[in-house]
Amino acid sequence: KAGVTQTPRYLIKTRGQQVTLSCSPISGHRSVSWYQQTPGQGLQFLFEYFSETQRNKGNFPGRFSGRQFSNSRSEMNVSTLELGDSALYLCASSLAEGAYEQYFGPGTRLTVT
Amino acid sequence: LAKTTQPISMDSYEGQEVNITCSHNNIATNDYITWYQQFPSQGPRFIIQGYKTKVTNEVASLFIPADRKSSTLSLPRVSLSDTAVYYCLVGAKNAGNMLTFGGGTRLMVKP
């Protein structure tokens, strides 16, 4: 069974721009969560989607948004990029909503200049 | 969500058994204990999950004492490829709670 895939793997953007990251979960998994990882703050939860609905949201500004499609694929968008948004963005999928057994993708490394 | 405390770093040598202990004094009755492993520039990987006593899989063993206020992840005969950060998480199995990762334990395996 194919794992979680994320595209693109690497991205360089300029301050003020916006970016969209994509995540394809493991087949059959309906829950997708997004995390941001930085050296200073570690792994932080962004949001979780299940059946196309946002179920949980972490403590991030409204510039961070996401959505989930009917095939469970998910996208996250960051508008008006700031230098501090440079991070590894990880997507994880699971069978059940809020499951502690989650399967992570390789991440998208976003650099904001 | 129960707070967890684990050592910041540990060193070991190839072939040794490594035990990483996690403290979770305020664990709730319906909380499970889950461990993840993360290599540099990769997403975390689920290792093992347990509720009480002992759980073993092909990768590791998880020991949980009767009071459940701590747990120990045991990695038998580590190799250089086990060098990674190990995270202990505590929470209800499917309660809609997002994963909360602490600082983790950075394990360095030396030849």
Side-chain angles (χ1 to χ4, degrees):
Chain A
K1 189 182 281 191
V4 176
T5 57
Q6 293 186 244
T7 55
R9 293 293 313 279
Y10 302 91
L11 204 50
I12 300 175
K13 289 286 190 177
T14 304
R15 248 183 326 178
Q17 288 186 315
Q18 68 115 24
V19 67
T20 299
L21 311 182
S22 181
C23 171
S24 292
I26 291 173
S27 177
H29 286 192
R30 294 170 60 196
S31 174
V32 174
S33 298
W34 289 88
Y35 296 81
Q36 180 197 65
Q37 186 170 31
T38 59
Q41 298 298 319
L43 261 164
Q44 293 185 289
F45 171 81
L46 278 158
F47 26 67
E48 178 188 14
Y49 286 87
F50 184 82
S51 293
E52 302 177 63
T53 303
Q54 188 179 89
R55 302 298 202 182
N56 286 293
K57 184 171 166 54
N59 188 26
F60 278 82
R63 299 185 297 106
F64 291 81
S65 63
R67 59 178 175 167
Q68 186 181 34
F69 302 95
S70 58
N71 61 359
S72 294
R73 192 177 69 85
S74 177
E75 289 181 348
M76 68 162 280
N77 184 78
V78 186
S79 61
T80 320
L81 284 166
E82 300 176 0
L83 295 179
D85 297 333
S86 295
L88 180 66
Y89 289 88
L90 293 158
C91 164
S93 75
S94 60
L95 278 170
E97 177 185 353
Y100 260 64
E101 183 172 351
Q102 296 189 12
Y103 295 84
F104 284 78
T108 294
R109 172 74 63 186
L110 172 65
T111 302
V112 182
T113 63
Chain B
L1 294 170
K3 178 177 164 56
T4 60
T5 303
Q6 49 183 127
I8 294 174
S9 64
M10 293 180 69
D11 287 345
S12 183
Y13 291 92
E14 280 191 293
Q16 288 188 332
E17 177 185 72
V18 171
N19 295 309
I20 306 174
T21 297
C22 178
S23 298
H24 27 81
N25 290 319
N26 59 340
I27 188 169
T29 303
N30 59 344
D31 282 346
Y32 281 73
I33 300 148
T34 309
W35 285 81
Y36 277 82
Q37 172 193 56
Q38 186 178 26
F39 299 112
S41 298
Q42 292 186 28
R45 181 175 78 111
F46 172 89
I47 301 176
I48 197 165
Q49 183 179 71
Y51 184 79
K52 62 180 180 180
T53 63
K54 176 184 173 182
V55 180
T56 298
N57 62 22
E58 64 279 2
V59 176
S61 294
L62 178 59
F63 298 91
I64 306 167
D67 66 5
R68 302 199 330 121
K69 293 186 184 299
S70 67
S71 58
T72 300
L73 175 73
S74 182
L75 305 172
R77 293 183 299 281
V78 294
S79 64
L80 297 177
S81 62
D82 291 316
T83 294
V85 178
Y86 292 83
Y87 297 96
C88 166
L89 289 80
V90 172
K93 204 172 187 180
N94 289 306
N97 293 318
M98 60 281 196
L99 296 185
T100 301
F101 288 82
T105 296
R106 189 171 300 275
L107 173 66
M108 174 70 74
V109 180
K110 302 174 183 178

